[in-house]
């Protein structure tokens, strides 16, 4: 990002996350993504007169869990309010949201630098429908309408695009990990509004902010921030003034443009939702929910390093996918070298699941118990790393125990004396490669090592073979 020497970026984020309850916030309609337009609707969620909403208890629990996972205080008394505005995506002409009594307050997310991004509040609300533009006409699809949504609002604590991107990633992993949302940005179940202002370095007073609405791609959020920061700096340099307004980021042109609705000037005339009783929770219930939360992925990462002795980098990419991290832990019970498990998962398993979604939804047919058998054979020195990798690939194909592929003979790896003899054969039968290697062709060594590996069907340790051959020829 280009840094304008004179100005500091100040930003705050409002993140909307759809909760993965089975049914909508006030009715029994499904929350499933997609489907035929307006098929997931009923008189309640399209707000027909005379209908009465009934709040979904799971959505309340999920919101509290999100608050607990982000270090918030949970309000034992909370309530829903009507936020009034007229727009076609909102059939009732109001959105049921929370105003002055949100469910969660005063949390934070800690960045890797140790800096804490304060969370002002997390409140529960209903999602709006979706406008679909086609051939110059506008259609509306209310399938998304009334799906429970939380809004996570930070204080204006961000000072760089990197901090914002790290926060989004941490928030996403944290919320996904507790299972209250799939946080799929590409499907719009997690969307960010970025509020940006600039001020001269050293100044205390914040500048006027603009708000870029509804972004759901990390790449484009980064670009939009960069663009908007530069735009405001240049405007101020030219003696202009930033106008408080809502912007849309146009991905194809990498610019922000003013949204027509002057939302910031709007008065929503919030008032308590009369059809829904206040939400009263007990400290005991909050404690139960706290106890039910799985370990935070960042805490888990540090524990993986210390409990299993795996590299920080490996721990980081494994805890990123909760189901794979669970599989790892189930597999390494009583295993002396859990590193072997990490290596196989990262090299072989990940290769079969190239997309993030595949890794996140990990549903590969492989039993932890079978993997544990393979790791035990490795621990006992009965398999070489190469052999283990080959077997693991087979296990991924067929989900069988490694023993299904091994005979007793296979399990006896050649001893050092045998390896020494085979290395001698390799050298004697490949004089040309020996000469080539001595002449500086490093690759020629591979021919010699390959000879031994082939003779033992990959059953011995490649590093040991290499070392033995090197000793013989130098
Ligand atoms: P509103 O309710 O009108 O959207 P809020 O005060 O709740 O306004 O702020 C919305 C978001 O904007 C919050 O994330 C907040 O941190 C951020 N924000 C407020 N003032 C500024 C500012 N001057 N610069 C950047 N971000 C700001
Ligand atoms: Mg706002
Ligand atoms: Zn409905």
């Amino acid at each position: 990002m280009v840094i304008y020497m004179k100005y500091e970026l100040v930003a705050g984020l409002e993140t909307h996350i759809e909760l993965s309850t089975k049914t909508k916030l006030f009715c029994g309609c499904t929350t499933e993504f997609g489907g035929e337009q307006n098929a997931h609707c009923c008189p309640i969620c399209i707000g027909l007169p005379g209908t009465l909403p009934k709040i979904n208890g799971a959505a309340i629990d999920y919101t509290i869990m999100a608050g607990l996972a982000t270090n918030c205080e949970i309000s034992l008394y909370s309530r829903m309010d009507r936020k009034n505005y007229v727009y076609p995506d909102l059939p009732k002409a109001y959105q049921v949201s929370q105003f002055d009594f949100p469910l969660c307050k005063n949390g934070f997310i800690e960045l890797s630098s140790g800096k804490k991004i304060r969370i002002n509040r997390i409140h529960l609300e209903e999602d709006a429908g979706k406008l679909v533009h086609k051939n110059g006409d506008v259609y509306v699809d209310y399938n998304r309408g009334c799906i429970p949504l939380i809004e996570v609002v930070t204080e204006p604590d961000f000072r760089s695009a990197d901090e914002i991107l790290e926060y989004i990633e941490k928030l996403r992993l944290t919320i996904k990990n507790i299972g209250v949302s799939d946080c799929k940005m590409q499907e719009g179940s997690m969307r960010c509004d970025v509020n940006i202002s600039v001020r001269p370095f050293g100044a205390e007073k914040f500048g006027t902010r603009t708000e870029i609405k509804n972004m759901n791609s990390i790449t484009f959020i980064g670009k939009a921030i960069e663009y908007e920061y530069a735009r405001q700096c240049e405007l101020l340099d030219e003696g202009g003034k930033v106008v408080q307004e809502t912007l849309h980021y146009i991905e194809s042109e990498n610019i922000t443009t003013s949204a027509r609705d002057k939302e910031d000037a709007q008065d929503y005339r919030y008032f308590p939702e009369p059809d829904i009783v206040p939400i009263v929770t007990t400290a005991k219930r909050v404690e139960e929910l706290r106890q039910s939360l799985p370990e935070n992925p960042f805490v888990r990462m540090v524990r993986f390093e210390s409990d299993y002795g795996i590299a920080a980098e490996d721990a980081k990419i494994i805890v990123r996918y909760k189901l794979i991290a669970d599989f790892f832990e189930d597999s390494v019970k009583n295993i002396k070298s859990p590193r072997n498990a990490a290596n196989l998962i990262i090299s072989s398993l990940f290769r079969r699941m190239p997309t993030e979604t595949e890794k996140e939804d990990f549903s590969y047919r492989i039993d932890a118990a079978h993997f544990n058998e393979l790791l035990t054979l490795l621990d006992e020195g009965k398999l070489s790393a190469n052999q283990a990798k080959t077997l693991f690939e087979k296990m991924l194909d067929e989900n069988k125990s490694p023993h299904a592929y091994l005979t007793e003979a296979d399990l006896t790896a050649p001893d050092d004396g045998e390896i020494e003899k085979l290395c001698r054969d390799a050298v004697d039968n490949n004089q040309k490669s020996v000469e080539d290697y001595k002449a500086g062709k490093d690759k020629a060594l591979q021919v010699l090592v390959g000879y031994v590996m082939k003779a033992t069907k990959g059953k011995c340790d490649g590093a040991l073979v290499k070392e033995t051959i090197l000793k013989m020829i130098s």
Side-chain angles (χ1 to χ4, degrees), residues 96 105 122 129 156 174 184 201 203 260 268 276 361-362 416 430 450 460:
V96 180
K105 291 180 297 201
I122 301 181
T174 301
K184 287 192 174 147
F201 275 103
R260 275 156 306 138
Y268 293 118
I276 296 169
D361 300 345
F362 176 62
D416 290 0
N430 294 284
C460 53

Side-chain angles (χ1 to χ4, degrees), residues 409-432:
D410 287 329
L411 282 175
T412 35
D415 63 25
D416 290 0
E418 258 173 276
I419 292 176
E420 174 109 17
K421 185 181 163 298
L422 286 165
C423 289
R424 176 56 61 203
D425 287 352
V427 171
D428 290 347
N429 293 323
N430 294 284
Q431 279 303 316
K432 170 93 177 64

Side-chain angles (χ1 to χ4, degrees), residues 169 215 260 293 296-297 305 343 359 377 382 453 472:
E169 189 54 20
M215 286 188 290
R260 275 156 306 138
L293 293 182
N296 175 286
E305 286 180 61
N343 290 343
K359 289 194 272 281
L377 290 170
K382 291 189 174 154
M453 298 310 277
M472 284 177 187

Side-chain angles (χ1 to χ4, degrees), residues 30 40 50 61 132 134 147 161 169 174 196 207 212 298 377 442:
T30 177
H40 305 163
D61 285 351
V132 183
K134 224 173 12 198
I147 286 182
E169 189 54 20
T174 301
I196 296 180
I212 314 173
F298 301 94
L377 290 170
D442 286 350

Side-chain angles (χ1 to χ4, degrees), residues 9-15 83 99 118 120-121 151-159 193-198 205-211 213 232 244 263-264 266 268 270:
L9 171 83
V10 173
L13 238 65
E14 294 160 285
T15 308
K83 178 180 182 179
F99 185 52
R118 291 169 299 159
N120 170 287
R121 58 192 271 144
E151 180 170 341
V152 184
V153 184
T154 76
E155 297 293 343
D157 285 348
F158 299 100
R159 297 293 175 269
D193 299 344
V194 188
N195 295 269
I196 296 180
S197 65
V198 301
K205 202 166 160 285
F206 288 149
T208 306
R209 73 183 155 109
T210 59
E211 177 174 9
K213 279 260 189 223
Q232 292 188 15
Q244 180 166 344
E263 209 185 86
D264 299 281
Q266 206 166 327
Y268 293 118
Y270 278 101

Side-chain angles (χ1 to χ4, degrees), residues 69-111:
T70 52
N71 312 295
C72 287
E73 296 161 16
I74 308 302
S75 317
L76 298 183
Y77 175 91
S78 166
R79 72 165 188 232
M80 306 306 291
D81 295 280
R82 283 190 187 180
K83 178 180 182 179
N84 299 281
Y85 68 92
V86 177
Y87 204 65
D89 63 3
L90 204 61
K92 294 182 289 213
Y94 60 81
Q95 178 190 30
V96 180
S97 179
Q98 299 197 287
F99 185 52
D100 40 8
F101 293 94
L103 268 163
C104 319
K105 291 180 297 201
N106 302 329
F108 64 86
I109 280 189
E110 190 173 327
L111 303 182

